[in-house]
Amino acid sequence: MSKINKLSKKIIIYTTSLILSVTLIFTVVSMSALIMFKKYTINKTENTFKDNANRNLEREVVFYAKILKKAMDSRSKTVFMFGKMLDKEIKTYKSCRNKNFLTDIYEEMNQSFDIRDIEILNSNFKVLCKFPEYIDTSSIPVLLKEAIKPADEFTSRIRYIDFHKNNDNSVSYSYVYLTKADDKSPIFVVFDFNPYGVYSLIKTAQLYPYSQKCLWVINKKGILIYDPPTKNHPLITLLDNVNLKNPKNGLTLSEIVTNKILKGGTGVSRYIFRNVDKFVGYTYIKELGWGLGLTLPTEEFYAPIINLSRDIDVKTIHTLSILSIVNAIIILIGVTIAMFVSKKITRPINRTIEAIDALIKEGELKKLSIEGDDELQELALSVNKLMDFFDKTCSNTDKPKGV
C-alpha cells in the first residue's frame, strides 16, 4: 500500500505542479499583456491627445489673434472716420481756440471705446490743443518723434503707436491721424486709448479666473503687454517691464520668443516660466508687432492621461484579483481531479497486487474483474491468465506419478 500511496502522491504532485506551472505562465503572460496594453494605450492616447492639443492650441491662438486684430482695426477705422471729421474743423495748426469740437468727438468716441484723450500737434510736435486737459500726455511727443518723421510722405493716414508707459504711471496705446494745415505742414491728431478694452479681450482666453490656461501678448521688444493673473503669478502688464526675450525668464522661452514668435512664426512649443512647465501655441500679428502665446500647463494637459493611467491600474488590479480567484479554483479543481484519477489508477493496481500476494502467500486464486478496455484492464486480464497458468502448473505438480 505504501508504494501505491507513493504513486498516488506522485500523480497528485505532478498534476498539481503542472496546473501551477500552467496557471503561473498564464498569469505572467496575462500580466505582461496587460502591462504592454497599458503602455500602448497610454502612449497612443498621449500622442493623440498631444497632437490634438497642439492643433487646438495653434488654432486657438490664431483665432484670438484674429479677434485682437479685428478689434484694433475697428479702432483704426474709427480714428480715420473721426479724423476726417476733424479735417473740416482744423483751420490752422498754429492755434486751437475752439475746443468744443474735440469735446464732442471725445464724448462720442468714449461711448464705444475707452479713450484716454485726444490732442492735436503741429509739425514740431508741439501740442496745439487737447481734451481732457488734465490728462498727462507729455510722453506723446517723444513717441511721435520715434514713430513719425515730418519728412515722411503720407502714404498712410493712420499710424499706430504701440502700448506705452506714460509719465503718470499709466499704460495706453495710440492711433495717429495724419493731416495737413493750410500751409501744407503736417498736423498730427493723436487718439490715445486706455488699454482696458484690449485687456478684456485678451482675458477672454482664460476660461475662469486664475485659470492656468491663458493668453499673453508681447510687443515687438518682447516685453509683456498683458498676462492675466493665474494661481502661479499675479497680473503682469507693461508697467512690470517683464521681458520674455531675457533668458532670466527661461532660456527656452527666450529662444521661442526671439527665434520663433518675433520672427513671425506660428506653432506650438514647450517652456518653463516661473517654475511652471507649459505648452504654448504662439503666433505673430505683423501689423501691430504683437506676439501672442496661448499657454496650457503640462499639469492640466497630462491630467486626463494620468487619470486614464490610474483607471487602467485599478482595472488591472481588479482583473488580476479575479484571475487569482479563477486560478485558485482551477488549482482546487485540478487537485480534486488528480486525487480522483490517482484513485482510479491505483485501485485496480492495488487489487492486482492483492491477488498476486494471495496466490503466493496463501495459494488462493482470486480472479480480477475485467471491465473496460484500457491498459489497466489489459493488465488485469494478463494477471488472470498468469494466475491460471500458475494454477495449472501447481495442479500438475501435486498429482501422483503414473496416475
Side-chain angles (χ1 to χ4, degrees):
M1 291 294 293
S2 61
K3 293 182 179 180
I4 302 306
N5 289 336
K6 289 181 179 179
L7 179 59
S8 301
K9 290 178 181 178
K10 286 180 180 180
I11 292 173
I12 295 172
I13 291 171
Y14 292 156
T15 305
T16 305
S17 299
L18 179 61
I19 294 173
L20 283 172
S21 300
V22 171
T23 53
L24 179 61
I25 293 171
F26 177 73
T27 303
V28 170
V29 171
S30 301
M31 289 181 63
S32 301
L34 287 172
I35 292 170
M36 291 176 65
F37 174 74
K38 175 191 173 182
K39 187 176 181 180
Y40 170 80
T41 303
I42 295 299
N43 289 340
K44 188 71 175 178
T45 304
E46 181 178 347
N47 292 333
T48 303
F49 194 73
K50 188 180 291 185
D51 290 341
N52 291 336
N54 287 348
R55 284 196 297 270
N56 290 335
L57 277 177
E58 186 173 322
R59 289 172 183 170
E60 283 188 66
V61 75
V62 170
F63 171 75
Y64 286 115
K66 290 179 180 178
I67 291 177
L68 289 174
K69 185 177 181 303
K70 189 174 181 179
M72 298 300 282
D73 287 345
S74 174
R75 287 160 175 73
S76 176
K77 291 175 182 177
T78 302
V79 166
F80 182 80
M81 181 181 68
F82 283 103
K84 292 290 288 184
M85 293 173 59
L86 283 173
D87 263 341
K88 300 176 183 179
E89 300 291 341
I90 297 174
K91 301 300 181 181
T92 176
Y93 69 94
K94 294 181 179 178
S95 63
C96 196
R97 295 177 182 176
N98 183 14
K99 300 179 182 179
N100 290 334
F101 66 94
L102 277 185
T103 304
D104 294 340
I105 289 178
Y106 175 89
E107 291 177 352
E108 187 70 25
M109 291 185 71
N110 205 35
Q111 292 181 9
S112 302
F113 305 101
D114 190 6
I115 190 165
R116 184 168 177 264
D117 76 287
I118 305 173
E119 58 183 301
I120 301 174
L121 297 87
N122 62 16
S123 58
N124 295 320
F125 304 107
K126 180 181 178 181
V127 178
L128 301 177
C129 61
K130 68 176 185 177
F131 184 85
E133 293 188 356
Y134 65 87
I135 298 294
D136 184 359
T137 58
S138 56
S139 60
I140 294 296
V142 178
L143 294 170
L144 280 175
K145 288 178 184 179
E146 294 176 356
I148 303 170
K149 295 181 180 179
D152 288 347
E153 295 184 3
F154 286 13
T155 55
S156 174
R157 300 293 296 273
I158 302 294
R159 300 291 176 87
Y160 170 69
I161 297 178
D162 203 359
F163 276 64
H164 49 270
K165 292 184 285 187
N166 300 303
N167 293 333
D168 60 355
N169 202 35
S170 64
V171 175
S172 62
Y173 64 93
S174 309
Y175 279 99
V176 184
Y177 178 78
L178 281 69
T179 185
K180 291 183 179 180
D182 293 337
D183 60 359
K184 307 300 181 182
S185 61
I187 292 289
F188 308 106
V189 184
V190 179
F191 296 82
D192 200 33
F193 293 89
N194 286 314
Y196 311 118
V198 177
Y199 287 171
S200 297
L201 285 175
I202 297 172
K203 201 171 181 180
T204 55
Q206 198 171 25
L207 301 178
Y208 54 88
Y210 299 99
S211 167
Q212 288 280 63
K213 184 179 181 181
C214 61
L215 179 72
W216 47 257
V217 180
I218 57 173
N219 60 22
K220 58 186 176 183
K221 296 179 181 179
I223 298 175
L224 274 170
I225 292 174
Y226 187 80
D227 190 1
T230 71
K231 67 178 184 179
N232 291 103
H233 67 73
L235 170 67
I236 302 174
T237 67
L238 201 69
L239 294 173
D240 299 298
N241 197 36
V242 176
N243 188 352
L244 298 188
K245 290 173 65 176
N246 191 337
K248 290 183 179 179
N249 287 314
L251 182 60
T252 305
L253 177 58
S254 173
E255 291 173 349
I256 294 170
V257 171
T258 304
N259 301 326
K260 295 181 179 180
I261 299 178
L262 296 181
K263 288 188 177 180
T266 296
V268 179
S269 192
R270 186 174 179 175
Y271 69 92
I272 296 176
F273 180 68
R274 299 192 174 180
N275 298 321
V276 180
D277 190 4
K278 299 182 178 183
F279 289 104
V280 61
Y282 58 84
T283 191
Y284 186 71
I285 304 177
K286 182 179 179 181
E287 295 80 2
L288 301 172
W290 287 359
L292 277 66
L294 181 64
T295 64
L296 177 66
T298 55
E299 177 185 359
E300 292 187 17
F301 171 82
Y302 284 111
I305 299 173
I306 293 172
N307 292 336
L308 176 62
S309 178
R310 289 173 180 170
D311 188 52
I312 292 176
D313 287 340
V314 171
K315 299 298 182 185
T316 302
I317 292 171
H318 288 170
T319 303
L320 291 176
S321 300
I322 295 172
L323 191 61
S324 299
I325 295 172
V326 171
N327 288 340
I329 293 172
I330 291 173
I331 292 170
L332 182 60
I333 293 172
V335 171
T336 303
I337 293 174
M339 292 175 66
F340 173 77
V341 171
S342 66
K343 287 181 179 180
K344 187 171 181 177
I345 292 173
T346 57
R347 189 177 292 115
I349 296 174
N350 185 34
R351 287 198 300 267
T352 302
I353 293 174
E354 288 176 352
I356 294 172
D357 285 343
L359 179 62
I360 294 172
K361 295 178 181 178
E362 301 173 5
E364 182 182 354
L365 181 63
K366 290 184 178 180
K367 290 290 188 77
L368 300 175
S369 61
I370 308 299
E371 296 176 0
D373 57 355
D374 56 18
E375 287 82 355
L376 290 173
Q377 304 309 321
E378 290 179 4
L379 175 62
L381 181 60
S382 298
V383 170
N384 284 342
K385 291 178 180 179
L386 181 62
M387 291 173 68
D388 287 338
F389 174 77
F390 278 119
D391 183 49
K392 289 178 181 179
T393 303
C394 290
S395 297
N396 292 333
T397 303
D398 293 338
K399 287 181 181 181
K401 291 182 181 181
V403 176

